[in-house]
Amino acid sequence: MLLGRSAECARLLALIDKARGGESGALVIRGEAGIGKTSLVSYVADAADDLLRIGTRGVEVESDLPYVGLADLLRPVLHFLDRIPERQVAALTGALALGPAEAQDRFAVAAGTLSLLGALADEGPVLVTVDDAHWLDPYSLDALAFATRRLGREGVVVLFTTRDAPEESASRLASIDTLTLGGLDPDSAHRLIAEEGTAELTERETARLLAEARGNPLALIELPALLAGSDSGGDEEESGAPLAIGELLAHTFGSAVDRLPSEAQDAMLLLAVLGTRPLAGTEAALRAHGLSYESLEAAEAAGLVVEERDGYAFRHPLVRSAVYHGATPVRRRRAHHAVARSLQGATAPALEQYAWHLAASGAEPDEHVASLLENAASGAPETLTYPLASRLYERAARFTPAGQRKAERLLDAARASQAAGSLNEAAAILDRALEHAEQLGTRLDIRQLRCYLDVQRGQPTRSRELLRSAVDEAEKVDPALAAVMLGGIALTELAVGDLTAARHSSAAAMHMAGSAQEAMLPVRLLHTLVLLLGGDADAGRELLRELAEPLASPDPAFPYPLSGVGGLCHLAAEQLDEAYGLLDRAAYTARGSSAVGLLSHLLCTLAVVEFWRGRWTPSLAHADEAVRLAEATGRLIEVPRGLAALARTEAALNREEDCRRHAAQAQEWALSTELPMDAARARGALGLLELGLGRFEEAVHCLEDVRAFSREHGRGDGLYLTWAADLADAYVHLHMTAEAREVLDVLEYEAGRGHRPVTAGAAARCRGLLEPGDPEAASRHMERSLALLAERPVPFERGRTEFAWGEQLRRQGRRSEARRLLERALVTFERLGATGWAARVAAELHAAGGTEVRPERAPLERLTPQELQVALVVGRGLTNHEVAERLFLSVKTVEFHLSNIYRKLDGVSRRAQLVRLLAQAAEAPV
């Protein structure tokens, strides 16, 4: 057991024991330099010698090199690549510069990392160690964090060590359990000094060491040599201000380096610049600098470096830091230049190191260097990935004088960064590019790309302002581009819920587009959505029919999510089966291509469609996955959309605690991402929850907020933002007839905009509720409501009409007729799982002299959202490997979920039986 670390060792050993039992786990070990993070991991690794171990360490000078850390981690196990899906092999080999670059979202690399870890676990439990994660390149850290969060039943343990300070790495690892290491207790510190100290100290020196080291093990071992003989009572001791541990240790290691011969210091600086390099590469760089292998012998003798199987390594990262930062800028640049010379003419995977060292070797703008970097980024696609291309373009821009060429290179860097999935980085690069752009066309391209990034990142207001300022300029030189920009503005206005503004922008875009073919699909599609939401819905449906063929295979590279907008069009047109078909196909395609950002958008809308179709368990699964993927990919605009969809389905299911939690989260996210419509949707979900529980005053309080939002933004009522039928229902139960009639006017206006049977059916139901004194008229309206609702698969709405009519008939004394309707409504609500509504119907049925009818609940409702998502993909006839690829899970986690699915579903123990059950559930009437 490590000295003074018994509790920490026990916690890590427990993770190892769980891995031996097939359960995965992860931990971030956080603490200052020298606190013992690496020692703790090494101790646990020694105790886990039966586990397959792979590891990497972040290196400060390599933190700008995309995927260098991941390449170092996975290099020993690349022979397992033949066990993972081909698409993920292509993404991984492209990212690691082992094969042709792939035009993949960077999360395909993360999914491949997860699959490869799962393949390793097939051989037995695995220990993954990532030391100094604060210095790991962001792409590697994102891939590992993504994979770690999705580990389940593989038997993989992932241990990260990181310092306290770096905010960026901390945010990437925020969702993983953390262990913060403090200093050793006084007794353990005394023992460590006695056993490991590097010099004899007086009692006073020991007391000072304990005070300065504050229990830091490395300081307790290394500082005695610095403090020995310094007991002079000077200013340092009397100041009372302790030095930072990092400064103390850097001074200690720096002093040791200064005592070496100059040749050894030069060799150590080269070693610090090289990073994680094999021995052959070290020797080549030494030779390029006029040095030799023997130049490092003095450093090795001083205990500052050690020779390992693959080359030399520093004894501690702080030694590397002291060497690198202790050198003058001129010496560092000279060292980088020597390494670059040793790598001249290199191909993958050394190309990225060559480019980085070449950039780091010069301080002033240099067109020759800039051109070399630009050519490396654009001239060798077979060896480059988007992240690396972005870094090369950006470095080229650093060596380019201010002006148009600098802007063009930065724009290229931003495009590559966006393609890599790094939205924040791309946005920051574009801001710099705009400062240098001199040509109008370049400025317009920058603004357009910036807009799409801001929308995805949850900043729609900035996006709209940026695009609007560019439209007038674009119209003069490229009307088609200007039209597409106006379409982008309309899309942004629809996202925030401002239909009034979207009408104007869409009409202007249609006028500006004229006959420009490159603009017609996106502009017409957005115009179609505006018509369906608040114009001539029949004209909108006709446009949608004309766009069916191009929507079947939209351009995935187009900035608008065309398939997602098409799904919203079908939803607004109340064409639920068509909406499901389009979105389901698009989501399946997005899974296959690892287009994770697009997938979260599609799943948000698909969750709403499935709610209306009465498939509430899939609705929950889609919304849950959408939120998780949106958070993981930084597509923040999708988070409140998914949370609001979750809250509405949970409201109907009477899952009160979950509904309130997700509604509150949706409202909080909507505020931070400037998406007030999603806050309104969350309030509407709470209104439905209160309505189902019979708390009508509370329902009115929530739903009147949604009504106010709709009025303010020129919206009526629809299937995406729905409120009117619920509010009218609540008003009727509170005997607020005048208010109910006002809301009915909204519903009937919406129903009159075209053939909208769901809205028309809800309006007829409300009209019937408002005719209590005329039983015949009320019955006619209720009959019409059921006839209209029968045109669409909307069981919940049908059940609400049956309930309302049965309740009305019972109060008119027509108990026999009431019982028939109430029994049908009860069966519908029970099958859906709408327990609050079922309880209200059951009370009415009892009052009508009937008995409860409790049909068997749908078996799929026993599954968790993730289990159901696995079942749904299995239902397409895919293998476990294909399911894992599409759900961004490991194969073992898929197998674990499948075993739970078989356990929960009676009579289902094979895939064929599960496929049959899913088919029956999809076809069964509710």
Side-chain angles (χ1 to χ4, degrees), residues 373-418:
L373 293 171
E374 183 179 37
N375 291 338
S378 61
E382 73 279 0
T383 59
L384 291 180
T385 62
Y386 286 129
L388 177 56
S390 175
R391 304 303 292 183
L392 293 175
Y393 279 124
E394 191 176 7
R395 291 192 190 104
R398 289 175 188 169
F399 289 95
T400 305
Q404 176 65 21
R405 286 294 290 131
K406 191 179 189 78
E408 291 170 356
R409 284 166 172 161
L410 285 170
L411 178 56
D412 286 335
R415 285 170 173 154
S417 188
Q418 182 203 25

Side-chain angles (χ1 to χ4, degrees), residues 307-321:
E307 186 178 351
E308 296 182 342
R309 181 171 56 86
D310 291 333
Y312 276 105
F314 288 95
R315 185 165 63 83
H316 191 277
L318 285 175
V319 180
R320 181 195 298 273
S321 184

Side-chain angles (χ1 to χ4, degrees), residues 528-657:
T528 299
L529 181 56
V530 168
L531 285 175
L532 290 167
L533 287 172
D536 184 343
D538 285 337
R541 264 194 303 276
E542 182 59 34
L543 273 174
L544 190 55
R545 274 194 293 272
E546 294 174 10
L547 296 173
E549 186 175 344
L551 274 179
S553 54
D555 179 6
F558 195 83
Y560 304 167
L562 297 181
S563 52
V565 176
L568 286 169
C569 286
H570 283 299
L571 179 65
E574 301 185 358
Q575 298 171 342
L576 297 174
D577 288 340
E578 292 85 345
Y580 171 78
L582 175 61
L583 292 166
D584 184 59
R585 288 192 301 272
Y588 183 77
T589 301
R591 290 189 192 282
S593 60
S594 296
V596 185
L598 174 61
L599 180 59
S600 61
H601 171 79
L602 297 170
L603 290 174
C604 282
T605 308
L606 190 55
V608 177
V609 171
E610 290 291 65
F611 170 82
W612 285 101
R613 296 176 77 225
R615 291 167 48 81
W616 290 354
T617 308
S619 175
L620 290 175
H622 295 322
D624 176 76
E625 187 182 12
V627 171
R628 289 187 291 107
L629 290 176
E631 290 177 329
T633 58
R635 267 68 174 182
L636 302 185
I637 192 173
E638 307 302 343
V639 177
R641 291 185 68 222
L643 287 168
L646 269 175
R648 184 161 190 85
T649 305
E650 289 161 344
L653 289 165
N654 195 31
R655 298 182 182 178
E656 185 171 0
E657 183 178 346

